[in-house]
Amino acid sequence: MVLILLSLVRTLPGLAHSSAVCMGRAIALCGRSGRIVSFLSAVPCLSGCTPQPAAERRMSDQGKSSVSTPASAPAPGSDTYKGWLFKWTNYLKGYQRRWFVLSNGLLSYYRTQAEMAHTCRGTINLATAHIDTEDACNIVLSSGGRTYHLKASTEVERQRWVTALELAKAKAIRMMNDQSDDSGDEEPTTQSDRSEGIQGTLKTLISKLDDLSTCNDLIAKHGAALQRSLSELEALRVPVEGGEKIKGVNERATLFRITSNAMINACRDFLDLAETHSRRWQRALQYEREQRIHLEETIEQLAKQHNSLERAWREAPTLSVNTPSSPTTKKGGSERPQKGEASDEDEDTEYFDAMEDSPAFITVTATENTQHRCSQSNLCGVSGGHTNDWNQDNVSPSCKDSGKELQPLRKRRSRIPDKPNYSLNLWSIMKNCIGKELSKIPMPVNFNEPLSMLQRLTEDLEYHELLDKAACCENSLEQLCLVAAFSVSSYSTTVHRTAKPFNPLLGETYELDRLDDLGYRSLCEQVSHHPPAAAHHVISQRGWTLWQQITISSKFRGKYLSIMPLGAIHLQFHSSENHYVWRKVISTVHNIIVGKLWIDQSGDIEIVNHRTKETCQLKFSPYSYFSRDVPRKVTGVVSDSGGQAHYILSGTWDDKIESSKIVQSSKGGSGSEGKQKTVYQTLSPKLLWKKYPLPDNAENMYFFSSLALTLNEPEDGVGLTDSRLRPDQRLMEAGRWDEANSEKQRLEEKQRAVRRRREAEATDALDNGREYDGFQPQWFHKRKNDITGETTFVYKGGYWEAKDSQDWSTCSEIF
């Protein structure tokens, strides 16, 4: 009996020591401030009172050794584990050293530790991963279709990683199961309820910690007494005295057992409570995250709705015109200002900030009385929109009927073959082209559209009726507004046109003869190849002539493509002899390598009437993700020769342009840069130009407009160098892209051979002392412009006469 009791009580000091050590760690870790979190991290050692699993024993043993654990990585039992491993890459490079980070059930790797701040090379979820060990140092992780072959430097290091991975996987699976089991258990509560619940949970957990601390003190006390009793029992030699001592030891062992059971029960209660509230906190955190995301989406939606409402309100000023039953004065109480808001603005007019401070428009519809009092003039036409808002007070009598459009004499095509869906690796072609001129890069037709640059230049005439109506205006400022709208309308076709037009061959021409139905004739010719330059001339029977020489300078910057048109555009009206000159803005094609291609226009345009010195300043605002402005925004101010502003232009280059007559201007407050703003008071805006809708199925026809669909339509009697006769472009339009690529290479090689022959002739002429003129355009010649002082190619005549007689003997064979 004595031997059995001795063997029993000898095991108790180990239990007492283990419990005391565990509780000592727990109490040492948890202070009064961080008691809950510290105790939760110490919970595994509380369970050490019972036999530990093998994996946890290995983890504990390895954690005690500071030599085997990397200095930069915590022990494998912590939440995060970091270190170097070798990862298999490919058969050429083999295993490469990578920095691995194990955190929250995810294993991520980086090339260096510095990459942790910005670039993760890969991540695998351990909750669904399979962990395998091939040999002493290898680890294989597989999840779905992803597999990592890893190698540690030593077997000990491999065992550390395997242990850490197994524990992280078990924890990830447990958390995933807890989330799935607890989903939908409780309805979201209010903020006050959640706060009260958290405070109550904290008090409960603190109470449990106090119970555990008390149990720890009792265990230490009874354990020490039991140890003393055992020491005395071993020292006994007289059997008679042993009876009472054994009885005392038995009592102390019973007390120790009761206290230990209470300790274990308290720990179990604490763990259950902590796990329950941990799940509640996780649900509360998830709910807060969802609420935050919902709030962000709501704010974004409200911002978009605000933008849309503001634009719709500006586009429909007639809806807010006040009637006699709803007075507009502040005394009468306008409906627009809300109750309690103060407004110092005159509600009879609109307000525009000056151009120099990026104008912000505040639109207030003018009353009928104010409109009659301040102005009796309106612009004389509108393109693409309704004309019932406009009177004809300032229209020349000879132009009253000229604005009526004639019915076309022939039916032109309204569709072309659909674009084939061919895939092509853009990067394999573009990576060697960075920094080069785009016109010098041999590119397949896959990046093109079946139109040449000459035809794209002719597309500027899509809204030619703006110039027809401008020719009828007697007021030069109103005429300038229409010219400005025409300059903006030429960009409306580019919003979806991300493909590149064909580079014209030297001497290539393009004519657009719409004299019978639309009253104008247009001719383009490629007058230079390096740098590429095209000359354009248009004459209209409705009173205007337009000419330009455009040189395209384009640079590929790796992520985007900048297209910079160089050269001036001239427009002259026959009756008034008003001569307008302006230049184009920069076009940028974004996401060249990755993402969806999109085009933006940015920069300033100054339109000058050189006869009257009147000007129009247009600003194309570049797109910005953080801007509150409408995308593709265009603003402008029309001023007289003295610099006084008369009209405000506003709109977007892909939709419409409106004009507002200025009633009064005044100096406002200082802007963000310290400049004093000028506030313009205007009448209601009038529509100058609105974009025509695209044809049906335009997305499968290169997003061509109605005019663009007709530009490459075959016509009889055109010149031998006309773009319609270019074979590679014709093959591409028909969907035969492979043949088009072969034909394109043939034409380019033929052009190179002609250039080499001209260079040889120039060298020979130089050696013999003769003059060599080189290539001379067929229909254009160089002349100095008296207004700008530039020497450009202008039309010298003869083309339309040659067409009438069908005499093309002077044309070169370029195709």
Side-chain angles (χ1 to χ4, degrees):
M1 177 66 182
V2 174
L3 293 177
I4 294 174
L5 182 59
L6 283 174
S7 62
L8 171 65
V9 297
R10 285 179 188 274
T11 61
L12 294 178
L15 180 62
H17 178 71
S18 176
S19 300
V21 171
C22 293
M23 285 307 302
R25 290 179 184 172
I27 300 303
L29 285 173
C30 61
R32 298 301 299 177
S33 61
R35 195 171 262 190
I36 298 173
V37 177
S38 303
F39 193 83
L40 284 174
S41 63
V43 165
C45 80
L46 285 178
S47 61
C49 301
T50 58
Q52 290 179 303
E56 294 188 12
R57 286 201 304 272
R58 290 198 303 269
M59 199 68 166
S60 177
D61 295 339
Q62 291 161 6
K64 294 176 183 177
S65 176
S66 61
V67 179
S68 59
T69 302
S72 59
S78 62
D79 293 339
T80 303
Y81 191 60
K82 307 175 183 177
W84 291 102
L85 287 174
F86 292 90
K87 179 181 178 296
W88 175 262
T89 55
N90 52 53
Y91 286 100
L92 294 177
K93 296 183 179 180
Y95 283 94
Q96 296 293 319
R97 192 166 180 255
R98 297 290 184 261
W99 179 255
F100 281 81
V101 177
L102 174 60
S103 177
N104 298 326
L106 300 175
L107 179 66
S108 307
Y109 75 93
Y110 311 83
R111 286 187 178 176
T112 61
Q113 297 184 45
E115 278 193 349
M116 292 177 61
H118 53 83
T119 305
C120 177
R121 300 291 173 175
T123 302
I124 194 168
N125 189 354
L126 295 179
T128 58
H130 176 69
I131 304 174
D132 192 16
T133 54
E134 292 182 342
D135 52 30
C137 296
N138 283 29
I139 307 172
V140 179
L141 297 177
S142 58
S143 177
R146 183 178 301 176
T147 302
Y148 289 172
H149 293 270
L150 310 177
K151 179 182 288 188
S153 56
T154 63
E155 185 176 359
V156 175
E157 185 65 21
R158 194 282 305 267
Q159 187 57 40
R160 274 203 201 96
W161 274 102
V162 171
T163 303
L165 292 171
E166 292 286 358
L167 292 178
K169 177 181 178 180
K171 183 178 179 180
I173 294 174
R174 185 168 62 253
M175 290 181 63
M176 185 171 62
N177 292 336
D178 291 344
Q179 291 176 358
S180 61
D181 293 341
D182 296 337
S183 60
D185 289 349
E186 296 181 2
E187 295 294 330
T189 58
T190 63
Q191 182 68 27
S192 59
D193 293 340
R194 287 195 297 272
S195 178
E196 294 176 0
I198 291 175
Q199 293 298 327
T201 301
L202 290 175
K203 291 181 181 179
T204 306
L205 290 177
I206 291 173
S207 175
K208 291 294 182 183
L209 281 175
D210 292 338
D211 294 344
L212 291 175
S213 178
T214 303
C215 291
N216 178 69
D217 295 339
L218 292 175
I219 287 176
K221 176 182 177 181
H222 293 306
L226 184 59
Q227 187 67 38
R228 287 194 304 271
S229 299
L230 291 174
S231 300
E232 293 173 359
L233 183 61
E234 291 178 354
L236 286 178
R237 295 181 180 177
V238 182
V240 179
E241 297 177 359
E244 295 183 0
K245 293 293 183 181
I246 291 174
K247 183 178 179 181
V249 169
N250 192 18
E251 292 176 354
R252 289 183 173 85
T254 302
L255 290 174
F256 186 84
R257 184 174 66 252
I258 295 172
T259 307
S260 299
N261 289 334
M263 177 71 175
I264 293 173
N265 291 333
C267 290
R268 185 179 296 111
D269 293 342
F270 179 83
L271 286 176
D272 293 341
L273 186 62
E275 288 179 357
T276 302
H277 288 287
S278 175
R279 289 193 293 268
R280 292 180 181 176
W281 289 340
Q282 288 177 1
R283 288 195 298 271
L285 178 61
Q286 182 64 26
Y287 175 74
E288 294 294 342
R289 287 174 178 170
E290 293 175 354
Q291 290 298 312
R292 186 195 66 184
I293 294 174
H294 178 69
L295 181 60
E296 291 175 352
E297 293 175 349
T298 303
I299 293 175
E300 182 179 359
Q301 190 66 24
L302 287 175
K304 292 179 179 179
Q305 291 177 0
H306 175 77
N307 238 352
S308 301
L309 289 174
E310 186 177 358
R311 291 185 63 185
W313 188 62
R314 271 187 287 190
E315 291 172 3
T318 56
L319 298 179
S320 57
V321 173
N322 298 288
T323 62
S325 60
S326 57
T328 61
T329 61
K330 285 192 285 186
K331 184 176 180 180
S334 161
E335 291 183 1
R336 197 169 294 113
Q338 298 297 323
K339 184 177 180 180
E341 293 181 350
S343 175
D344 297 330
E345 299 174 353
D346 181 8
E347 297 181 5
D348 291 343
T349 54
E350 300 177 14
Y351 290 81
F352 295 88
D353 288 342
M355 273 294 296
E356 59 266 22
D357 285 329
S358 300
F361 301 104
I362 305 174
T363 307
V364 181
T365 305
T367 62
E368 183 179 356
N369 185 30
T370 305
Q371 293 186 22
H372 285 293
R373 182 179 70 248
C374 298
S375 175
Q376 296 292 331
S377 173
N378 279 311
L379 297 185
C380 55
V382 61
S383 173
H386 300 289
T387 59
N388 53 1
D389 294 336
W390 302 86
N391 60 45
Q392 298 290 325
D393 293 342
N394 294 323
V395 178
S396 173
S398 61
C399 296
K400 288 283 187 178
D401 298 328
S402 63
K404 298 179 181 179
E405 300 207 359
L406 303 175
Q407 292 296 326
L409 297 182
R410 55 169 289 187
K411 182 176 177 61
R412 304 190 184 275
R413 68 181 185 179
S414 59
R415 65 171 296 108
I416 59 175
D418 289 354
K419 177 182 178 181
N421 187 16
Y422 289 149
S423 61
L424 188 66
N425 187 355
L426 176 62
W427 178 242
S428 64
I429 298 173
M430 285 293 191
K431 63 182 179 181
N432 296 322
C433 304
I434 298 177
K436 296 182 181 179
E437 281 282 350
L438 186 65
S439 58
K440 298 181 181 179
I441 301 173
M443 300 181 70
V445 300
N446 303 58
F447 301 116
N448 288 40
E449 61 180 14
L451 290 178
S452 73
M453 190 62 202
L454 302 180
Q455 292 165 314
R456 284 292 294 268
L457 200 59
T458 307
E459 277 193 77
D460 289 356
L461 301 174
E462 179 152 14
Y463 298 94
H464 64 92
E465 61 269 18
L466 286 168
L467 301 183
D468 296 341
K469 293 166 184 175
C472 300
C473 284
E474 293 181 342
N475 187 316
S476 59
L477 289 172
E478 295 177 356
Q479 186 181 72
L480 182 53
C481 290
L482 290 169
V483 173
F486 174 78
S487 69
V488 175
S489 69
S490 62
Y491 297 99
S492 63
T493 61
T494 66
V495 62
H496 299 297
R497 303 273 290 280
T498 57
K500 173 183 175 292
F502 279 79
N503 288 332
L505 302 176
L506 187 61
E508 184 176 337
T509 62
Y510 180 74
E511 67 157 78
L512 187 65
D513 191 350
R514 295 289 192 268
L515 189 64
D516 295 332
D517 46 2
L518 299 177
Y520 68 84
R521 276 178 164 176
S522 168
L523 176 66
C524 296
E525 182 177 4
Q526 187 76 1
V527 296
S528 173
H529 192 62
H530 291 299
H536 185 203
H537 183 269
V538 190
I539 185 168
S540 173
Q541 290 181 336
R542 299 181 180 178
W544 54 270
T545 300
L546 182 145
W547 67 95
Q548 60 180 319
Q549 177 186 324
I550 298 296
T551 300
I552 300 296
S553 175
S554 53
K555 288 290 185 180
F556 177 58
R557 306 293 185 182
K559 291 184 179 180
Y560 62 91
L561 178 70
S562 295
I563 303 172
M564 295 154 284
L566 308 176
I569 303 173
H570 296 259
L571 172 65
Q572 187 170 20
F573 293 99
H574 302 163
S575 60
S576 63
E577 295 186 354
N578 287 333
H579 189 147
Y580 298 92
V581 179
W582 70 92
R583 300 174 189 271
K584 290 180 174 289
V585 296
I586 297 176
S587 300
T588 306
V589 184
H590 295 271
N591 294 342
I592 292 293
I593 301 301
V594 178
K596 183 180 180 180
L597 293 174
W598 61 280
I599 293 181
D600 193 22
Q601 315 289 346
S602 59
D604 298 330
I605 293 180
E606 182 183 33
I607 306 175
V608 181
N609 183 343
H610 285 275
R611 190 183 71 84
T612 64
K613 306 305 179 184
E614 296 163 346
T615 61
C616 174
Q617 301 285 343
L618 289 174
K619 180 179 180 60
F620 288 66
S621 301
Y623 173 79
S624 173
Y625 179 79
F626 302 100
S627 175
R628 297 175 59 185
D629 288 336
V630 178
R632 310 180 184 94
K633 181 180 179 181
V634 179
T635 53
V637 175
V638 177
S639 307
D640 59 20
S641 58
Q644 181 179 356
H646 288 266
Y647 288 93
I648 291 292
L649 303 180
S650 61
T652 58
W653 53 262
D654 67 324
D655 185 23
K656 66 177 181 178
I657 290 293
E658 295 176 334
S659 170
S660 303
K661 184 174 179 58
I662 297 175
V663 176
Q664 184 181 353
S665 63
S666 60
K667 296 295 182 181
S670 299
S672 58
E673 299 179 358
K675 298 180 181 179
Q676 192 175 25
K677 292 184 177 181
T678 302
V679 180
Y680 296 122
Q681 303 176 19
T682 71
L683 301 178
S684 300
K686 303 297 182 181
L687 186 65
L688 293 179
W689 160 77
K690 186 165 181 63
K691 180 185 176 182
Y692 295 133
L694 290 175
D696 295 337
N697 196 38
E699 64 276 5
N700 294 322
M701 298 186 295
Y702 309 91
F703 287 98
F704 281 177
S705 64
S706 298
L707 175 63
L709 289 174
T710 67
L711 292 180
N712 206 41
E713 185 177 6
E715 290 192 12
D716 297 331
V718 297
L720 301 180
T721 55
D722 196 271
S723 298
R724 298 178 181 89
L725 305 178
R726 182 165 174 166
D728 53 349
Q729 188 173 301
R730 182 64 60 190
L731 288 169
M732 181 190 177
E733 184 184 270
R736 298 154 62 183
W737 284 16
D738 293 336
E739 299 175 53
N741 279 319
S742 301
E743 193 65 24
K744 184 173 183 288
Q745 293 179 7
R746 182 190 68 81
L747 291 175
E748 291 175 350
E749 186 55 41
K750 181 179 180 179
Q751 183 172 238
R752 295 188 191 99
V754 173
R755 187 182 71 247
R756 289 192 293 266
R757 177 175 57 80
R758 289 198 181 103
E759 291 174 353
E761 291 176 356
T763 303
D764 183 64
L766 182 63
D767 294 340
N768 296 328
R770 293 182 288 105
E771 292 185 0
Y772 183 75
D773 295 333
F775 172 79
Q776 296 297 325
Q778 185 66 34
W779 312 110
F780 290 81
H781 58 179
K782 279 188 176 181
R783 289 293 183 269
K784 184 177 181 180
N785 188 276
D786 296 334
I787 294 178
T788 63
E790 299 176 342
T791 300
T792 59
F793 284 94
V794 296
Y795 180 59
K796 65 181 180 180
Y799 180 86
W800 304 110
E801 293 78 7
K803 181 181 180 181
D804 293 339
S805 62
Q806 285 297 297
D807 181 12
W808 305 113
S809 58
T810 58
C811 293
S812 303
E813 180 62 38
I814 62 174
F815 298 139

